[in-house]
Amino acid sequence: MTEQRVPRVVVVGCGYWGQNLVRNFAQLGALAAVCDADPVKLQKLPVGDDVLKVSRIEDVLARPEIEGVVIAAPAAQHFSLARKSLLAGKDVFVEKPLALQLADGNELVELARKQGRILMVGHLLHYHPAIAELRRMLHAGELGRVEYISSSRLNLGKLRTEEDILWSFAPHDISAILYLLEETPTRVVAQGASYLNHPISDVTLTILSFASGVKAHIFVSWLHPFKEQKLVIVGDRKMAVFDDTQAEQKLVVYSHRVDWINRMPVARKADGEVIALSKDEPLKLECQHFLDCVRDRKTPNTDGENGLKVLSILHAAGKSIRENGHPVVLDQLAAPRFYVDPSAIVDEPCEIGDGTKIWHFSHIMKDCRIGAKCNLGQNVHVASGVRIGNNVKIQNNVSLYTGVELEDDVFCGPSMVFTNVITPRSHVNRRSEYQRTLVKKGASLGANSTIVCGTTVGEYAFIGAGAVVTRDVPAYALMVGVPARQIGWVCQCGVTLSLANGNGTCSGCGKNYVLDAERKLLVSQEEIMLTERAPERLAASAGAD
């Protein structure tokens, strides 16, 4: 069996948590360099002589052998370091939070998409065996209907000044709760108190309300006499307690229940069942996942979008705290309106409709407008200003140059070609001579066909494979050859029509068609009824051969 390649990474920020990342990536054989502004920290790191030590991230971003940047610097630096790394073409693993400002988080997600780079956020609990088991239990219905979730993350220290306890501790629990429930809260209420360094909160209590009726309570503090890291899920069948401070009994499930006797609730307690878990270190699993994503070009479980969801809830909780616990209503975060493969690039600004999919290595330039439910295959190029309607299908290796406009339901076959100037020369700038090409509703352009600029392809016309269109094409026309010539008519469904005396019925779908007197215009019976075309033109067609 061939041994899989291990991507090489640099860890930026070698403080308390950064050292854990250094250790794990070194054990996985992926550590190429470490970066920290403190030379003393760098000197003390227990890494081999083959690991590069630098004080500036710029010293490693230009090195092609380094594919990934792992950021464990203070949260205030996350955005700038991640942005530099993405612009340098590196994949990025940034510790939580993704950024301190929602706009900065959005910028990083968009930048990663444009650059075709991996962006992963360090939401560690996603990779914890206990959380994985709890998620399996919820999917299997073993806990019954979830009533509420309670989490507590308490300790004495580590005290911070650049972020409050909400941003330092709560991301862990927020991300885990979203992962377990697989829904986004509709309302956030939070209260906080600052005792050491106003207005930095040392203690916060956040309540998340979900559309399903579940509530989640998150209590965090770095001013607490003892350490506690618990997450409790209360279901109507069983209750589960995840205590991360325990060595052997991290996950315990209780078959407690509540009986109603004489219309009064009575608690019935049961012994706890310790759930066996894998001994794998969550951080090592998380680091390995990042390396797998870099090598295999797959989307991380905790990608930038996941980081944005947590970021939006943190912002809502912070707003509620500043407003003395006033509820903040969140719009439900809908599924992405459209899909862009990580290897594709979409320049801003442009407009993309709901349900559209843009696949591998495609490039959409700015100022484009793409409608809903379109499908753009591999290696599709859409130049600035192009207009694409709804439900358009563009197969692999098609380029749409400036001046092209596709109406709804157009089909572009593999490797077909559009042009936008008549007399192209490499040494002559012809931008002022770009010509408009219009492909009307429902037309199909066969594989390897060419549409010369300045032409209009009529509704539901069918251009055969390899044909070269040099002049306007009538609606419903069937075109083949070089240059393309009309050899017949086709139905809206694509079946070739057989016309007798200027009339015909599609053998595929049953639609009726009529030719005009000059036998140059095919009109469907449906169009006649809808548009009331000139009756004298159609009446004359009745006796035509």
Side-chain angles (χ1 to χ4, degrees), residues 419-435:
T419 69
N420 60 3
V421 293
I422 296 295
T423 56
R425 291 292 193 194
S426 178
H427 63 284
V428 179
N429 189 329
R430 304 284 193 194
R431 289 184 180 177
S432 63
E433 301 176 21
Y434 287 170
Q435 297 194 35

Side-chain angles (χ1 to χ4, degrees), residues 125 308 319:
L125 288 182
L308 274 181
K319 184 174 188 291

Side-chain angles (χ1 to χ4, degrees), residues 191-236:
Q191 290 191 335
S194 57
Y195 303 104
L196 302 179
N197 186 20
H198 186 78
I200 302 297
S201 294
D202 306 300
V203 180
T204 65
L205 175 63
T206 303
I207 300 175
L208 309 180
S209 299
F210 295 84
S212 61
V214 177
K215 288 189 182 295
H217 310 95
I218 302 170
F219 177 36
V220 292
S221 171
W222 53 33
L223 198 60
H224 205 74
F226 55 85
K227 183 175 182 178
E228 181 174 297
Q229 293 178 2
K230 283 185 181 179
L231 187 142
V232 177
I233 302 179
V234 176
D236 64 356

Side-chain angles (χ1 to χ4, degrees), residues 84-373:
K84 285 180 183 178
S85 303
L86 291 170
L87 287 172
K90 307 298 183 184
D91 296 317
V92 174
F93 169 13
V94 57
E95 272 300 336
K96 56 79 189 167
L98 174 61
L100 292 181
Q101 300 298 325
L102 194 56
D104 290 344
N106 272 301
E107 183 177 339
L108 291 178
V109 170
E110 285 300 307
L111 183 58
R113 181 169 60 81
K114 288 180 183 178
Q115 298 286 100
R117 296 292 94 198
I118 301 295
L119 177 60
M120 176 170 158
V121 184
H123 291 155
L124 182 62
L125 288 182
H126 278 244
Y127 305 93
H128 199 297
I131 294 295
E133 177 61 16
L134 280 172
R135 195 164 190 259
R136 185 201 65 78
M137 289 180 176
L138 291 175
H139 278 192
E142 294 178 15
L143 304 184
R145 186 184 69 239
V146 177
E147 305 287 3
Y148 76 89
I149 296 179
S150 175
S151 71
S152 54
R153 190 167 296 272
L154 317 169
N155 206 351
L156 184 58
K158 179 183 178 188
L159 308 175
R160 302 173 191 257
T161 57
E162 76 279 1
E163 61 180 5
D164 62 19
I165 185 64
L166 179 73
W167 287 76
S168 183
F169 279 19
H172 292 294
D173 303 282
I174 292 172
S175 65
I177 290 168
L178 298 187
Y179 183 55
L180 290 169
L181 294 180
E182 298 184 83
E183 63 174 319
T184 303
T186 57
R187 193 176 78 153
V188 178
V189 176
Q191 290 191 335
S194 57
Y195 303 104
L196 302 179
N197 186 20
H198 186 78
I200 302 297
S201 294
D202 306 300
V203 180
T204 65
L205 175 63
T206 303
I207 300 175
L208 309 180
S209 299
F210 295 84
S212 61
V214 177
K215 288 189 182 295
H217 310 95
I218 302 170
F219 177 36
V220 292
S221 171
W222 53 33
L223 198 60
H224 205 74
F226 55 85
K227 183 175 182 178
E228 181 174 297
Q229 293 178 2
K230 283 185 181 179
L231 187 142
V232 177
I233 302 179
V234 176
D236 64 356
R237 291 180 59 189
K238 294 181 180 180
M239 305 177 186
V241 178
F242 165 38
D243 187 345
D244 207 15
T245 63
Q246 296 293 319
E248 299 298 329
Q249 298 185 8
K250 286 187 180 293
L251 182 58
V252 181
V253 174
Y254 298 87
S255 296
H256 298 332
R257 72 178 191 275
V258 175
D259 293 334
W260 287 82
I261 300 176
N262 295 326
R263 301 180 64 189
M264 296 294 292
V266 177
R268 304 294 192 189
K269 295 184 178 180
D271 293 335
E273 175 191 359
V274 178
I275 305 300
L277 300 172
S278 162
K279 297 294 185 180
D280 292 329
E281 180 185 359
L283 183 58
K284 190 168 187 177
L285 295 174
E286 183 180 46
C287 294
Q288 183 63 63
H289 182 68
F290 177 64
L291 296 175
D292 292 343
C293 291
V294 172
R295 184 190 64 236
D296 301 333
R297 311 313 299 165
K298 63 182 182 181
T299 303
N301 293 337
T302 51
D303 63 355
E305 293 288 350
N306 178 268
L308 274 181
K309 289 182 181 179
V310 174
L311 202 57
S312 67
I313 294 169
L314 290 170
H315 269 276
K319 184 174 188 291
S320 181
I321 290 171
R322 291 190 299 273
E323 296 177 356
N324 299 313
H326 190 274
V328 175
V329 176
L330 293 177
D331 291 328
Q332 283 285 63
L333 290 178
R337 296 188 310 111
F338 55 85
Y339 173 78
V340 178
D341 185 83
S343 66
I345 298 173
V346 177
D347 296 335
E348 296 292 349
C350 68
E351 180 182 327
I352 302 175
D354 293 356
T356 286
K357 296 180 180 180
I358 299 171
W359 294 102
H360 306 75
F361 311 114
S362 292
H363 183 193
I364 314 302
M365 298 184 70
K366 67 178 183 178
D367 299 323
C368 295
R369 187 168 69 232
I370 302 175
K373 297 182 179 179

